[in-house]
Amino acid sequence: MKTIVLANQKGGVGKSAVAVQIAYFFSLVKNKKVLVIDFDHQRNTSKSIKVGNYAKVSNTPSSNLLSQAGLKLDIADSFVLVQADNAELLKMEKKADSHNLYANNLKNFLSTLNNMFDVCIIDTNPNPDIRQLCALVVSDYVLSPIQLNQEAIDGIGDLLNHDTTGIRKIQSAINPKLKFLGILPNLVEPTPFQRDNFKDLATHFSKLLIPLDVGFAAIKKTTAIPEAQALGLPVWKLGKTSGREAWNQVKPVFEKIATMMELN
Ligand SMILES: Nc1ncnc2c1ncn2[C@@H]1O[C@H](COP(=O)(O)OP(=O)(O)OP(=O)(O)O)[C@@H](O)[C@H]1O
Ligand SMILES: [Mg+2]
């Protein structure tokens, strides 16, 4: 099983949208066995996948994956969601004495699923806390959607070098197998401002972008993604021109990610 975490300390950049849509892609397009874990108390990924009804939902809330030792998944299916709870997830940061245990419990839980799933997709909250840290510690890959504004571009330094949850810190100190798939510009608009920011990124951070056959991976702003997310639908099943157009753009990005994760 390959584990990928969506992580960025910036909120509203598309972590949950990408988590849900790439889960549908792996399950329905690539016929992979998919486990989704939602560690965000906002529960956006959980809500969307539950509405869509493509996945079986575990009765275990995601906080238990961190707090309980020896936990086993309660259902067997080819597409499973471990949904986020709220109060328990929010309490975890304060329980500093248990933080090491949380990471170990999650690692052990995932190791019991190695032969049951091909891919585990973890969505995280936008705060650099223990939940995000645990997800980064157990993952093989990290993908970071960003928006093309100056603040987000300035935040790339933190994304890589933040004291506790910076990707480079985690790679060097705790999880050397973690591979950074890259930053994925999302909600891209055809304004001169964003075009200039993209050019800037491509000049200064080209190694952090995901190369496609032509140019770099990016997802345009489209009404199709929030609509698909609200209905819990794969964007290509929205049954609208906007959905098909969005999918034409997103599919090569997801195919490239599958290749990078050796999941073809
Ligand atoms: N390419 C896109 N075009 C238009 N809307 C988008 C796109 N990607 C995501 N959205 C919408 O933008 C909003 C924020 O996206 P999302 O919830 O995925 O971000 P997030 O990074 O998970 O946020 P948070 O940090 O709060 O968890 C959602 O309403 C989502 O449907
Ligand atoms: Mg989210």
Side-chain angles (χ1 to χ4, degrees), residues 10-17 19 38 40 42-45 123-126:
K10 292 277 173 295
V13 293
K15 295 180 291 294
S16 299
D38 185 4
D40 187 356
Q42 300 176 96
R43 308 186 69 255
N44 291 331
T45 285
D123 189 20
T124 58
N125 49 303

Side-chain angles (χ1 to χ4, degrees), residues 20-21 24 47-49 51-54 227-234:
V20 170
Q21 294 300 322
Y24 287 146
K47 287 180 207 158
S48 189
I49 290 186
V51 173
N53 213 21
Y54 287 92
E227 282 181 41
Q229 287 293 104
L231 297 168
L233 283 177

Side-chain angles (χ1 to χ4, degrees), residues 11-227:
V13 293
K15 295 180 291 294
S16 299
V18 172
V20 170
Q21 294 300 322
I22 207 166
Y24 287 146
F25 166 77
F26 278 126
S27 176
L28 302 171
V29 178
K30 307 300 267 186
N31 289 316
K32 300 293 179 192
K33 292 181 214 142
V34 177
L35 172 68
V36 177
I37 300 174
D38 185 4
F39 279 135
D40 187 356
H41 56 276
Q42 300 176 96
R43 308 186 69 255
N44 291 331
T45 285
S46 303
K47 287 180 207 158
S48 189
I49 290 186
K50 282 176 83 172
V51 173
N53 213 21
Y54 287 92
K56 292 260 163 39
V57 183
S58 165
N59 284 317
T60 305
S62 66
S63 64
N64 284 14
L65 272 42
L66 300 170
S67 62
Q68 293 193 5
L71 196 73
K72 297 271 183 322
L73 188 62
D74 55 344
I75 42 174
D77 198 76
S78 57
F79 191 5
V80 172
L81 166 71
V82 177
Q83 60 177 323
D85 39 345
N86 181 289
E88 290 306 315
L89 280 175
L90 282 170
K91 282 182 207 156
M92 306 195 103
E93 180 62 10
K94 293 222 172 88
K95 298 185 181 166
D97 288 354
S98 303
H99 285 183
N100 275 343
L101 266 180
Y102 290 166
N104 281 331
N105 289 340
L106 180 62
K107 202 181 250 176
N108 292 337
F109 172 77
L110 292 177
S111 71
T112 67
L113 302 174
N114 226 346
N115 298 322
M116 279 171 65
F117 295 99
D118 301 306
V119 57
C120 170
I121 297 156
I122 306 182
D123 189 20
T124 58
N125 49 303
N127 332 77
D129 70 357
I130 186 62
R131 293 171 280 162
Q132 203 180 91
L133 182 59
C134 285
L136 287 162
V137 166
V138 301
S139 287
D140 304 298
Y141 300 95
V142 52
L143 176 66
S144 300
I146 66 157
Q147 266 183 281
L148 290 176
N149 54 42
Q150 198 52 48
E151 193 203 350
I153 293 172
D154 292 345
I156 292 172
D158 245 9
L159 185 70
L160 295 171
N161 300 318
H162 184 278
D163 267 353
T164 48
T165 58
I167 292 165
R168 284 186 187 143
K169 297 271 155 138
I170 290 178
Q171 284 168 328
S172 65
I174 331 180
N175 181 7
K177 75 173 191 309
L178 183 68
K179 292 194 181 72
F180 185 35
L181 292 174
I183 48 181
L184 175 59
N186 183 29
L187 289 143
V188 177
E189 293 179 85
T191 59
F193 175 70
Q194 291 220 350
R195 225 173 284 142
D196 287 350
N197 279 342
F198 203 170
K199 262 192 216 143
D200 248 22
L201 260 186
T203 310
H204 297 109
F205 294 105
S206 68
K207 287 210 173 91
L208 303 182
L209 291 165
I210 300 171
L212 296 180
D213 290 344
V214 181
F216 295 106
I219 302 176
K220 284 185 197 147
K221 186 171 184 178
T222 160
T223 55
I225 289 183
E227 282 181 41

Side-chain angles (χ1 to χ4, degrees), residues 229-242:
Q229 287 293 104
L231 297 168
L233 283 177
V235 72
W236 69 92
K237 288 192 186 257
L238 202 55
K240 287 185 175 185
T241 308
S242 61

